[in-house]
Amino acid sequence: MISTKTDDGLLWQLFCDGDESAFEEIMSQYYRPLFRYGSRIWPDENVVRDCLQEVFADLWVRRSGLKGVQSVNFYLIKAVRNHLLFEKRKLRSNAFLDEWREGDAFISEFTIETELIREEEARFRSAKLESILNALPARQREVIHLKFFEDLSPDQIAEMMGLNRQSVYNLLHETLRKLRGLWIFILVLIFN
């Protein structure tokens, strides 16, 4: 039996060596966060569930060749993102999507666990933050999500989004500047 406290690196190594309980623990730890992330790319929950099933099945089949993975979280997020974007491209080529651009693929839906919000003031701030994030363009929402909610490094974000490192820094800087401006605008409206 594997403890839920097992280090990701050790867990991944055990999985790569064929340990089924390590694989189950990885699925248990990562399924929900990957589902939330996938739902931001593709709003149809059934498609996201199918994607996760395919990603995890593919992982099991290819496990022996995955020993060099440095960050389990990054690897899994990238696998889900690539799978869903591939599915969108297939739909596009089948003429189901008219004018889809990869930059428009990220759907922002700032979800907050309601049980964590116990005070009215916290709910109010959360609603305002959601409206501010939804006012951002898709690429800016995605870079904020990857940086602050998935805790990816700028290098990982650059690889994930197909950008160079400096572009990620520029995008983060511009997004944070815009967020500060929007937040100040909201506060001025509230207190005037």
Side-chain angles (χ1 to χ4, degrees), residues 20-34:
E20 289 183 34
S21 59
F23 181 59
E24 290 171 5
E25 184 61 33
I26 289 169
M27 286 193 306
S28 174
Q29 286 181 18
Y30 286 97
Y31 186 88
R32 282 188 179 170
L34 291 172

Side-chain angles (χ1 to χ4, degrees), residues 115-174:
E115 63 268 10
L116 297 177
I117 303 174
R118 294 190 167 96
E119 299 175 22
E120 184 63 31
E121 182 179 290
R123 280 193 299 272
F124 179 74
R125 280 189 302 228
S126 296
K128 291 302 169 197
L129 181 57
E130 181 180 356
S131 67
I132 289 170
L133 288 174
N134 285 330
L136 294 173
R139 287 181 74 79
Q140 289 181 343
R141 285 192 307 264
E142 184 173 12
V143 78
I144 288 295
H145 180 84
L146 293 173
K147 175 66 179 156
F148 296 105
F149 296 95
E150 300 300 337
D151 198 29
L152 298 182
S153 72
D155 290 330
Q156 291 172 325
I157 295 169
E159 184 179 333
M160 179 85 61
M161 294 180 71
L163 302 171
N164 65 45
R165 185 176 181 199
Q166 186 60 47
S167 295
V168 170
Y169 282 118
N170 293 346
L171 189 57
L172 278 169
H173 175 75
E174 176 62 26

Side-chain angles (χ1 to χ4, degrees), residues 23-42 45 48-49 51-53 55-56 73 76-77 80 84 109 111 113 115-116 145 149-150:
F23 181 59
E24 290 171 5
E25 184 61 33
I26 289 169
M27 286 193 306
S28 174
Q29 286 181 18
Y30 286 97
Y31 186 88
R32 282 188 179 170
L34 291 172
F35 180 80
R36 281 193 303 270
Y37 178 73
S39 296
R40 294 172 186 275
I41 295 173
W42 196 307
E45 291 182 357
V48 176
R49 283 189 190 96
C51 165
L52 291 176
Q53 184 175 0
V55 166
F56 281 116
N73 186 42
L76 293 174
I77 290 171
V80 168
L84 288 172
E109 181 183 303
T111 58
E113 305 295 328
E115 63 268 10
L116 297 177
H145 180 84
F149 296 95
E150 300 300 337

